[in-house]
Amino acid sequence: AHCECALSAAFTRMYAVMRSQWNGPPPFTVLSVSNSTIAFYHNPNMQAHWLHIRSACKAWAARDAKMIEVYKKTMGDASEGMSYRAHDLDPNGTCFILADCINAKTGSFDPGPLASLLNALISHLSNVLPGLAVR
C-alpha cells in the first residue's frame, strides 16, 4: 500500500521498532495526518488498513455514505479506468487526524479547512512543545 510520504513511513516503521524498548508510553506522540480520504476509496485492496480504521471509527462509519456520494460526484466518470496508487493509512500510525474534506455548506470536496486546522495545530504545538514536523 502507498503511504503519502516515504520519509514519514520510514519514521513510523522505526518508531514501531523502538516502542518495545521504552518502559511505558513513548516519550513523544506521532500524529499521522491525511486529507487523502478520497484516494483511499480508490484502493482496491480489501485488506487495506484504512478499512480497519473506518470500521473502528463511529464518526467515519456514520459519514461514509456522504463521503462516497461526494467523492463520486467529485471524480465522476473520470475515475473509471484510471490507475490509482493504492493509498492507505500507515499501519504503524498510532494517532490519526483525518478529514473527509467535504464542505458542509456546499457539499463539495474542499481540503482547505484541514490545511487551516493543521497550520493552526502546528503553530500552537511548536509554541508549547519541542517538535519535528515532516511534510
Side-chain angles (χ1 to χ4, degrees):
H2 173 76
C3 293
E4 294 178 47
C5 175
L7 182 58
S8 293
F11 179 83
T12 57
R13 278 193 305 274
M14 291 310 302
Y15 174 77
V17 168
M18 295 301 296
R19 257 191 310 212
S20 65
Q21 296 182 10
W22 293 309
N23 293 330
F28 55 88
T29 301
V30 177
L31 299 175
S32 300
V33 179
S34 178
N35 70 350
S36 295
T37 50
I38 193 170
F40 298 156
Y41 284 83
H42 291 285
N43 184 339
N45 180 358
M46 296 311 293
Q47 298 302 314
H49 190 61
W50 78 270
L51 292 168
H52 299 288
I53 300 296
R54 180 185 67 180
S55 67
C57 178
K58 290 179 184 176
W60 193 340
R63 190 82 166 148
D64 190 54
K66 180 67 173 176
M67 293 167 72
I68 291 170
E69 173 193 330
V70 171
Y71 296 165
K72 281 184 179 179
K73 188 171 34 172
T74 299
M75 296 303 291
D77 292 334
S79 67
E80 297 201 16
M82 292 179 71
S83 63
Y84 286 88
R85 293 183 291 183
H87 282 269
D88 198 1
L89 291 173
D90 186 340
N92 293 310
T94 57
C95 185
F96 294 98
I97 297 175
L98 303 170
D100 61 20
C101 297
I102 298 173
N103 184 304
K105 292 180 182 174
T106 65
S108 61
F109 184 76
D110 180 8
L114 178 62
S116 297
L117 170 67
L118 293 179
N119 286 335
L121 179 63
I122 290 169
S123 177
H124 170 72
L125 292 175
S126 67
N127 286 325
V128 296
L129 299 169
L132 168 69
V134 179
R135 286 188 174 200

